[in-house]
Structure formats: structure tokens, C-alpha cells
Amino acid sequence: LELIKRFLLSFFVVSVMFASAAFAASDSIQVKTSVDKGELPRAGYFSLKPIISSQITLKNPRIEFPKLDQDFEILSSSRSQNFSFSGGKTFFQFVFDYILRPKKEGEILIGAVSLVYGGKVYKSDSLMVKVGPAFGEEVPGQAPPGGEGEEEKQPSEKITL
């Protein structure tokens, strides 16, 4: 009877240790999104990088991306997977990279990237990108170059030898 009690107590302690380790590992998942430019002309492009970092191997994670093709032309996309081992811990990282060109001017909201794993939802922050007119286009409310407020320039004199 004493042997059974010890076995059950040992089993309980080991179960609690594994459960707390799994709980701590699930909280080590991070989803972040960044852009390399927060402001650009309509004809410009920028890089959107969603990054998912974890200290556990993510088996079949469900990753949901914001709808990008409504406001942006997707010029290219790539995905890489990295892992490193440091200080007795393993780190995993999924990096997605989108090169996007805006379809319109104004402030455009890029929604959050979310990851559903182990019954939990992990989300990045949403981002705002400010898109101005393409180079050479007139901005409403502003005089075009050479308009009012600028001195009229005289053509320079030609000298022939």
C-alpha cells in the first residue's frame, strides 16, 4: 500500500511539472509584425514582416494573415524558418516577408496577424501605413511647382562663340 501511495505521489508531481512546463512554453509564443517604412508615396513599396517566435516546436499552427490584396499589390512573398540553441533553450522563428505596393493614398490599416495554437490565440499589433501621392503628382490644396508664390524665372541668355 505504501508503494502505491509513493507511486501515485511521484506520478502526480511529475504530471504537475510537465503541465507547468507546457503552460510556460505556450506563453513563450510571440507574434510581431513590422514594416520598414511607415510613410511612402503611392508608387513606392515597402516590406511587411510578420514574425512568429516560440520556445517550443509549433506543430501545425494555424496562422491567419490580414487581407492584403484589397489595399496593396503583393509584389513578392517569402517564408523562412529559423532555429537556434542558446543557454540550454531552443528558439524557433517563422519569418514571413511581403513586398507590397499601395493601391491608394491615405492612412491604410494593416490588420493583426494571428496564430491559433493549443486552444489559444496569439496576435500581433495592427499597423498603420501613410501613403502620399506618387512623385510628380499634384497634392490637392497645394499650388503646383511654378504656380503662385514662386517668382517667374527668365530663360538664361545663350552665348554663342
Side-chain angles (χ1 to χ4, degrees), residues 138-150:
E138 289 184 26
V139 178
Q142 275 188 338
E148 280 184 39
E150 285 193 24

Side-chain angles (χ1 to χ4, degrees), residues 95 105 119 126 150:
V95 179
E105 294 176 24
S126 298
E150 285 193 24

Side-chain angles (χ1 to χ4, degrees), residues 129-143:
V129 176
K130 187 175 181 181
V131 180
F135 294 120
E137 287 185 355
E138 289 184 26
V139 178
Q142 275 188 338

